[in-house]
Amino acid sequence: MYQFLNFIGGLGLFLFALSLLESSIKNLGLKKLKDFVKKHTTNIYGGIVVGFIVTAVIQSSSATTIIVLALVGAGIMPLKNSIGVILGANIGTTVTAWIVTILGFKVKIMLVANPLLAIGALGYLLIDNKKYKNIFLFFISFALVFIGLEFMKESMKEIAHHINLADFRNYNMLFYLLLGIIITAVIQSSSATTAIALTATASGIIDYKTALLIIIGANIGTTVTAWLGSIGRDSNKKRVAFIHTVFNLTTGVIVLLLLNPLSRFTLYLAKNDYLIAISLFHTIFNILGVMAILPFVNFLEKLSRKIIKDKPVIVTKYITNIDTSMPEIVNEALNKELKRFVKKSLKFYLHTFKISSKAFKDEKYLNLYIDYDINEEYRYLKKLSSEIEKVALEVNNDEILKTLYNITISNKQIKDISHNIDEFLLDDNEYLKEYITQLRLKLLNFAKNFYEWYKNGDEKPVFKPITLNIAFAIKNEKISPYISITLLNVNYYINTALENLINIPNTKNNI
């Protein structure tokens, strides 16, 4: 029981370390990573290379899949281009198996882990710079991966003494295949499942072929992440998950049919070293899968569109299928719909600055920084704006149209600087920190006052523009000239966006 708990603890540490490793790399340059993916995935082959590189670097095919889903969902990456990245990610994930095999079993783990952990922990505690903290966090997480693996390996050796391998020989191939699928689906990491298979093989608990079946199952089980990431209204995200599933299932079937000759071939290449052979098998079968699926990429894209159709998204509440032959009723409905649009736009501004809606009631929540899907919110607002505009044009409601245009311009201006805000929030520069802190507080107060004015017709809110002494900041080396230009641009967009908002007429009706 004690050794089993050691194994579970080691697995938990391994999973936690992988998650920490992924987070540290993201924090070091998530935007750059997304820009890299977007820039180099203009064709299927470029996508494969990018998928391989990104997954090999961040050690998580699931993370690569999530990035792809985000880019496809945002309309930045076409569906066809995403297929290449998914294919490459499947090959890239095999790098983890090689790292685990070579460093985890061929080298004394603690000789690698202890120095990394010491450097990482000391650096993280002693240095305040956010960028360097993420580098030291990377060292810590990398060390913890191998410490977790060491716990698993050592506990497996003890468990092996109490397990008779003959007891498992009656189970058929399907059992171990399903075991790999289930473990990966539950723990959300094919890398961890591969590590379990490697440690169990090294300890003699399972044989070579059983480990291969578990790894094939893990390859199929990792598609669960894509489906979880595709939850929502976006059909293209579901298509990415569908294509990912078809690819991994197809690869699994092909490899199962070739299991005996392929397992013998990899064992021969590995000179009868089972652990090397498992990693080699993992790499070869993913490459074979990519080669097999490449000629059918266009067919896969068409099939996904045929099976997963675009569902009509109803964004309106009061003007859906309204009869425009009765202007009085239509105008009343338009006013209500416009109120929804104003309210949602206001939330969009706050969410761009990662301000929680709870901050409306209690300012202490302003200290929270919440990540929202700004692209999804903006797309929703654009659709809602378009629907209101159609109806307003039919009944010639110029007042609604004028208000709508003002808010739409404001929304676009805020959206255009959202990536700059993300960069500012991650930056350690004290001047930028102070600027963002002041701006978030001013924006929250403005939003509260604006909401009351728009709803009840109270005193019209005023947004006092934030004045920046850029020349002073540059002279005193508080910011670089490059940052100063971005800062001026951001400040201008915010000020003009909120001025546009203030110019709309209010209503005394409840929202």
Side-chain angles (χ1 to χ4, degrees):
M1 182 65 179
Y2 173 73
Q3 292 302 333
F4 176 73
L5 290 175
N6 263 0
F7 174 78
I8 294 297
L11 177 60
L13 184 59
F14 184 85
L15 286 170
F16 172 73
L18 283 179
S19 176
L20 203 62
L21 188 67
E22 180 186 325
S23 297
S24 65
I25 293 170
K26 280 182 179 179
N27 290 338
L28 284 169
L30 181 58
K31 186 179 183 297
K32 289 180 181 177
L33 191 64
K34 285 184 177 180
D35 288 344
F36 174 78
V37 172
K38 179 187 171 184
K39 184 179 178 181
H40 294 93
T41 54
T42 53
N43 60 65
I44 189 77
Y45 299 103
I48 292 172
V49 173
V50 167
F52 171 79
I53 292 172
V54 171
T55 305
V57 169
I58 67 176
Q59 288 294 293
S60 174
S61 60
S62 297
T64 306
T65 302
I66 294 301
I67 290 171
V68 169
L69 288 169
L71 292 173
V72 170
I76 295 170
M77 181 187 289
L79 177 63
K80 186 177 179 180
N81 293 5
S82 72
I83 299 173
V85 184
I86 295 295
L87 299 183
N90 270 42
I91 301 173
T93 196
T94 65
V95 172
T96 306
W98 283 108
I99 292 172
V100 169
T101 299
I102 295 168
L103 294 181
F105 294 97
K106 305 300 178 184
V107 176
K108 287 187 177 179
I109 290 178
M110 290 309 174
L111 290 178
V112 177
N114 283 340
L116 280 175
L117 189 59
I119 294 167
L122 287 171
Y124 188 84
L125 292 171
L126 298 175
I127 295 175
D128 289 331
N129 184 282
K130 197 169 185 179
K131 182 180 178 180
Y132 289 117
K133 270 187 177 292
N134 279 314
I135 292 172
F136 289 120
L137 191 62
F138 172 84
F139 288 156
I140 293 169
S141 54
F142 199 70
L144 290 178
V145 165
F146 292 108
I147 294 171
L149 186 64
E150 179 72 3
F151 281 146
M152 290 165 66
K153 190 172 73 174
E154 292 303 316
S155 59
M156 275 288 188
K157 285 179 184 176
E158 294 299 320
I159 292 168
H161 294 311
H162 306 286
I163 292 177
N164 184 2
L165 189 59
D167 295 338
F168 295 91
R169 285 174 184 160
N170 294 326
Y171 292 107
N172 61 26
M173 291 169 57
L174 185 61
F175 172 80
Y176 294 108
L177 190 71
L178 287 173
L179 187 63
I181 293 171
I182 292 166
I183 291 172
T184 306
V186 169
I187 64 179
Q188 287 292 292
S189 173
S190 61
S191 297
T193 307
T194 302
I196 291 170
L198 286 166
T199 52
T201 306
S203 304
I205 293 176
I206 60 174
D207 60 23
Y208 171 56
K209 273 197 178 178
T210 300
L212 299 185
L213 288 167
I214 290 172
I215 286 171
I216 295 168
N219 216 50
I220 297 168
T222 196
T223 60
V224 172
T225 303
W227 284 109
L228 290 174
S230 70
I231 292 172
R233 297 175 177 178
D234 198 299
S235 299
N236 269 334
K237 285 185 178 181
K238 290 182 174 62
R239 290 175 188 132
V240 171
F242 171 78
I243 291 167
H244 191 196
T245 304
V246 169
F247 166 60
N248 284 26
L249 280 172
T250 304
T251 302
V253 169
I254 291 170
V255 174
L256 282 172
L257 293 173
L258 299 173
L259 183 61
N260 288 328
L262 191 57
S263 62
R264 286 196 296 268
F265 176 63
T266 51
L267 195 58
Y268 167 76
L269 291 177
K271 297 179 180 180
N272 293 320
D273 185 321
Y274 288 129
L275 299 182
I276 295 290
I278 290 168
S279 298
L280 192 57
F281 178 89
H282 193 201
T283 303
I284 290 173
F285 94 66
N286 274 292
I287 292 172
L288 283 175
V290 170
M291 291 170 64
I293 215 81
L294 262 179
F296 304 101
V297 166
N298 289 333
F299 170 75
L300 263 180
E301 184 191 5
K302 289 176 183 175
L303 181 65
S304 69
R305 292 188 186 279
K306 188 174 182 180
I307 292 174
I308 301 170
K309 300 185 184 299
D310 288 313
K311 294 179 180 178
V313 180
I314 299 172
V315 295
T316 55
K317 184 177 180 180
Y318 301 104
I319 59 173
T320 309
N321 300 322
I322 196 166
D323 183 359
T324 54
S325 63
M326 295 176 282
E328 287 186 9
I329 294 174
V330 174
N331 285 327
E332 185 180 346
L334 275 170
N335 278 317
K336 288 182 179 180
E337 201 69 73
L338 186 65
K339 291 173 199 173
R340 282 186 70 238
F341 182 64
V342 170
K343 188 176 181 181
K344 288 183 180 295
S345 295
L346 199 58
K347 283 185 177 180
F348 171 67
Y349 303 158
L350 296 180
H351 292 172
T352 301
F353 289 83
K354 303 187 188 303
I355 299 174
S356 169
S357 301
K358 291 182 178 179
F360 261 108
K361 294 181 180 178
D362 192 335
E363 206 169 281
K364 72 178 181 183
Y365 289 105
L366 188 61
N367 294 323
L368 293 177
Y369 289 79
I370 312 293
D371 281 314
Y372 293 97
D373 191 341
I374 298 303
N375 289 320
E376 181 64 33
E377 286 190 45
Y378 183 66
R379 282 199 302 276
Y380 183 93
L381 288 171
K382 280 179 71 177
K383 288 177 185 175
L384 182 54
S385 172
S386 177
E387 293 300 318
I388 295 172
E389 182 185 37
K390 284 179 192 174
V391 178
L393 284 170
E394 283 192 47
V395 294
N396 296 316
N397 192 324
D398 292 334
E399 188 177 341
I400 291 283
L401 288 169
K402 184 181 177 182
T403 301
L404 186 68
Y405 293 151
N406 272 354
I407 302 169
T408 302
I409 290 168
S410 293
N411 291 350
K412 179 68 168 64
Q413 288 173 320
I414 296 295
K415 170 66 174 63
D416 285 345
I417 59 167
S418 60
H419 67 283
N420 297 124
I421 300 302
D422 287 341
E423 289 175 359
F424 289 172
L425 287 167
L426 288 171
D427 204 299
D428 270 326
N429 184 285
E430 291 299 324
Y431 186 86
L432 287 179
K433 279 184 180 178
E434 181 62 27
Y435 169 73
I436 287 293
T437 301
Q438 283 187 37
L439 186 57
R440 291 176 93 242
L441 180 60
K442 283 196 172 212
L443 190 63
L444 176 64
N445 289 331
F446 170 82
K448 286 180 181 177
N449 295 333
F450 180 87
Y451 182 81
E452 289 303 316
W453 167 75
Y454 187 75
K455 184 172 71 170
N456 302 319
D458 295 338
E459 185 180 347
K460 192 169 186 176
V462 176
F463 181 78
K464 294 180 180 178
I466 294 177
T467 54
L468 297 169
N469 193 338
I470 296 293
F472 174 81
I474 295 173
K475 185 179 178 181
N476 288 274
E477 297 183 345
K478 292 181 179 293
I479 55 171
S480 67
Y482 173 78
I483 290 291
S484 70
I485 294 169
T486 306
L487 198 54
L488 284 170
N489 186 53
V490 167
N491 206 50
Y492 171 77
Y493 269 65
I494 293 168
N495 290 336
T496 53
L498 298 185
E499 281 173 14
N500 275 330
L501 203 62
I502 291 169
N503 288 332
I504 69 171
N506 72 318
T507 174
K508 291 185 180 181
N509 298 322
N510 289 329
I511 292 181

